[in-house]
Amino acid sequence: MSAGIAMVLRGVGCELGGRTVLRDVDLDLPWGSVTVVVGPNGAGKSTLLGVLAGDRRVSSGSVTLDGAELAQWVGPQLARRRAVLTQEQEVTFGFTVREVVAMGRYPWTDEADLAADEAVVHDALRRTDVLHLADRSYRSLSGGEKARVSLARVLAQDTEIVLLDEPTAALDLRHTEEVLGVARRLARSGRCVVVVAHDLTLASAYADLLVIVDDGRVAAHGSPADVLTPERIERTYGLPVDVHALGDRLAVVPRLSATSPPPPREG
């Protein structure tokens, strides 16, 4: 890891099933930063993450990692540089939690340092608050527990680039803050972290760079304060909002319309 830019996208387009999902995407993703990607459902956020992971082929433009075309990185090399948390977190067989997290060490198996692998797995379990679940069957866990175990597997992969697709979707309030805190600490250690999220208020608290994707294009990118304006949010989501400064984050609050149901009465 070094100072500067980890990944660069220029003029990136992506088609899925004959439909254009991304178009003319330009982005610089710095080392030592958390980039949060937000936008409406179906805007292309997960496809963008797949392009960054090398799992989605681009139909136009270029994607580079450390100055080299991403397509030039072969499987094992790429697996040592980037780790990906997808929205799908199912495991077919009855592996234990510890075994699932240890799968993150697979790209490093030729180094054959079992003690080091075990230490990394233990630390990943601890950091995601699932150490007490280590001997449980993964398939027996709740959705939120599975999400944290899947994040632990990503952390065990120990890569410089970490790509997280809606990592807090199934989590309660405490674990949501803890997971995003993990992302923040990874960035402070010099890594490049990209998170797809829906909650604009949480995004504003943890993002160094906030990217709004709308209809396959980058509609805005910059600091949360620059990007999250009421006018831009209404234009993107079709919903009027108010934006309030609350300490180190912005609170994005939808406005109640005349047709909205009244709040419940007390008593």
Side-chain angles (χ1 to χ4, degrees):
M1 287 170 284
S2 60
I5 304 300
M7 300 190 73
V8 176
L9 289 75
R10 290 292 180 267
V12 166
C14 182
E15 295 183 358
L16 297 177
R19 182 174 67 93
T20 300
V21 182
L22 295 177
R23 64 197 82 213
D24 299 323
V25 173
D26 291 343
L27 276 179
D28 292 349
L29 301 175
W31 293 114
S33 68
V34 176
T35 298
V36 180
V37 181
V38 300
N41 291 334
K45 302 183 297 297
S46 293
T47 300
L48 176 58
L49 206 74
V51 166
L52 292 171
D55 296 333
R56 296 285 189 192
R57 296 177 64 88
V58 301
S59 55
S60 60
S62 64
V63 184
T64 61
L65 167 58
D66 266 355
E69 287 285 344
L70 191 61
Q72 297 177 6
W73 294 85
V74 297
Q77 289 178 320
L78 190 57
R80 292 187 179 199
R81 297 302 305 275
R82 64 94 180 101
V84 187
L85 176 67
T86 63
Q87 293 183 35
E88 295 76 26
Q89 300 162 358
E90 289 304 316
V91 173
T92 303
F93 300 103
F95 293 104
T96 67
V97 165
R98 190 184 305 276
E99 288 169 335
V100 169
V101 176
M103 292 175 189
R105 298 304 299 159
Y106 179 75
W108 306 95
T109 50
D110 60 353
E111 296 196 354
D113 189 340
L114 183 60
D117 285 348
E118 290 178 348
V120 171
V121 169
H122 182 90
D123 186 56
L125 291 164
R126 179 190 59 79
R127 291 160 70 189
T128 53
D129 192 28
V130 292
L131 188 58
H132 62 293
L133 303 174
D135 297 320
R136 286 264 304 273
S137 167
Y138 177 86
R139 298 176 69 183
S140 73
L141 303 181
S142 70
E145 290 168 339
K146 287 179 179 178
R148 281 150 46 212
V149 172
S150 296
L151 176 61
R153 176 187 53 78
V154 166
L155 296 181
Q157 198 169 330
D158 194 24
T159 58
E160 300 170 347
I161 296 173
V162 180
L163 308 173
L164 308 175
D165 196 352
E166 298 190 36
T168 64
L171 301 185
D172 60 31
L173 182 62
R174 178 172 73 88
H175 287 110
T176 292
E177 293 283 349
E178 288 179 355
V179 164
L180 292 175
V182 168
R184 184 73 265 147
R185 289 188 290 276
L186 288 170
R188 280 202 296 266
S189 72
R191 301 169 199 259
C192 173
V193 183
V194 182
V195 181
V196 171
H198 279 289
D199 189 317
L200 300 182
T201 298
L202 278 174
S204 76
Y206 289 92
D208 297 302
L209 177 68
L210 191 64
V211 177
I212 293 182
V213 176
D214 187 17
D215 192 28
R217 300 180 185 274
V218 173
H221 61 95
S223 70
D226 290 337
V227 169
L228 292 180
T229 65
E231 297 78 16
R232 180 173 287 120
I233 296 170
E234 180 173 359
R235 187 164 59 247
T236 302
Y237 291 89
L239 179 72
V241 299
D242 293 312
V243 179
H244 305 282
L246 295 176
D248 61 353
R249 66 182 67 187
L250 301 173
V252 179
V253 183
R255 295 177 190 165
L256 289 176
S257 68
T259 58
S260 299
R265 298 176 61 184
E266 296 184 1

